[in-house]
Amino acid sequence: MPSTKVSRMFRTLALLIVIIAALYLALCAALFVFQRALIYFPQPAALETPASLLTLTVDDAHIQVSVRPHAGPKALIYLGGNAEDVSRNLPAFSQAFPEHALYLMHYRGFGGSTGSPSEEALARDALTLFDKVYDSHPQVAIVGRSLGSGVAVRLASQRPASRLILITPYNSLEGLAAQRFRWFPVRWLLKDRFESWRYAAHITVPTLMIEAEHDEVIPRTSTERLYRHFAPGVATLKVIPGVGHNSISDSPDYLKLMGAGL
């Protein structure tokens, strides 16, 4: 083959490699810049009246909390999923847990709350809500679903919760992202890691973990890996059969298990 053709072939190959590398770096940059838009999907509140809302002022934001007031020692704080309108749980929770005052937190950007969501912001907001609730209710159960399980386990490691319930929980968001975006250096790109395993070992209160048998979002291996980070005897893992990640709350066993965990 003439040397000019060889030279041309190598130049073309080098150009192709440069283009592919540039596209890959552009995709990495896009993931880094827009990652929180892939994690959080703010929802408006469907059920809100002045009587059912509490507003917390936290740092630079106003956090809306859907509430069902109830006198007595028991309260429940609920931290929902990444695309959940937590207010929709209020009727069912009110009926299922009549002895508990209910506090369902709308994350920043959700349900009328101001500000932008991030792992650290949600953690601070949850601490503020717990301290507010604990002033009136000495027995505070913390419930976290999906994304909220990461907020809940961190909160329970830092405050005197009476019970902890984790619904479709994960070991870490970093681990989930690494599985979904296998070809990208997620470890270096991710800002919000939600490393639940780091906090699990510090939990001493009775903990119930509820898993969906056919969870298509959070693999069973992730949930079971988190379970192994709890001290022996602290956590119990229950599986609801025949349901997926989003349909788990449709099962009649869902509220029954939660009630048993309280």
Side-chain angles (χ1 to χ4, degrees):
M1 182 181 292
S3 60
T4 55
K5 288 186 177 181
V6 173
S7 177
R8 191 180 304 118
M9 183 182 69
F10 278 108
R11 286 199 301 269
T12 301
L13 181 60
L15 179 60
L16 182 60
I17 292 173
V18 169
I19 291 173
I20 292 173
L23 287 173
Y24 179 78
L25 291 174
L27 288 173
C28 288
L31 277 176
F32 180 77
V33 172
F34 299 109
Q35 60 182 274
R36 284 182 174 143
L38 299 174
I39 297 173
Y40 309 101
F41 299 90
Q43 302 294 319
L47 305 174
E48 58 177 35
T49 66
S52 66
L53 278 179
L54 167 70
T55 301
L56 293 177
T57 300
V58 183
D59 298 332
D60 57 343
H62 299 290
I63 306 303
Q64 299 297 323
V65 184
S66 290
V67 301
R68 195 286 302 272
H70 181 74
K74 297 181 179 180
L76 182 153
I77 291 176
Y78 180 77
L79 304 160
N82 70 331
E84 184 176 0
D85 169 18
V86 295
S87 73
R88 293 183 179 275
N89 296 289
L90 205 54
F93 283 13
S94 296
Q95 185 175 3
F97 316 125
E99 297 183 357
H100 288 75
L102 303 175
Y103 297 86
L104 288 61
M105 189 175 83
H106 296 270
Y107 301 141
R108 295 179 181 223
F110 290 64
S113 295
T114 62
S116 299
S118 70
E119 180 181 3
E120 292 305 315
L122 269 55
R124 290 195 304 270
D125 298 344
L127 286 170
T128 301
L129 176 58
F130 185 97
D131 293 342
K132 172 74 173 178
V133 173
Y134 193 65
D135 282 342
S136 304
H137 307 280
Q139 299 175 31
V140 182
I142 300 173
V143 180
R145 178 174 178 176
S146 193
L147 178 75
S149 67
V151 185
V153 71
R154 179 171 175 174
L155 175 61
S157 74
Q158 297 172 320
R159 290 294 188 270
S162 62
R163 294 286 191 276
L164 175 63
I165 298 178
L166 304 176
I167 302 158
T168 60
Y170 49 86
N171 192 52
S172 75
L173 187 63
E174 179 184 347
L176 298 178
Q179 287 184 317
R180 180 162 296 186
F181 301 98
R182 296 178 183 274
W183 300 104
F184 296 94
V186 168
R187 179 181 179 185
W188 307 108
L189 297 174
L190 198 62
K191 299 175 184 177
D192 297 345
R193 300 177 183 275
F194 288 97
E195 295 174 318
S196 298
W197 62 270
R198 288 189 178 275
Y199 305 100
H202 302 288
I203 303 297
T204 57
V205 299
T207 299
L208 172 64
M209 301 173 65
I210 303 177
E211 181 182 358
E213 182 184 19
H214 304 302
D215 198 318
E216 68 282 9
V217 177
I218 297 174
R220 175 172 290 188
T221 53
S222 182
T223 300
E224 293 176 351
R225 193 174 298 125
L226 174 63
Y227 174 70
R228 291 194 292 269
H229 281 285
F230 285 89
V234 170
T236 301
L237 178 60
K238 299 290 185 179
V239 179
I240 297 182
V243 298
H245 186 81
N246 294 317
S247 63
I248 188 172
S249 54
D250 297 332
S251 169
D253 294 331
Y254 178 68
L255 291 177
K256 290 179 183 178
L257 278 176
M258 284 181 61
L262 297 175

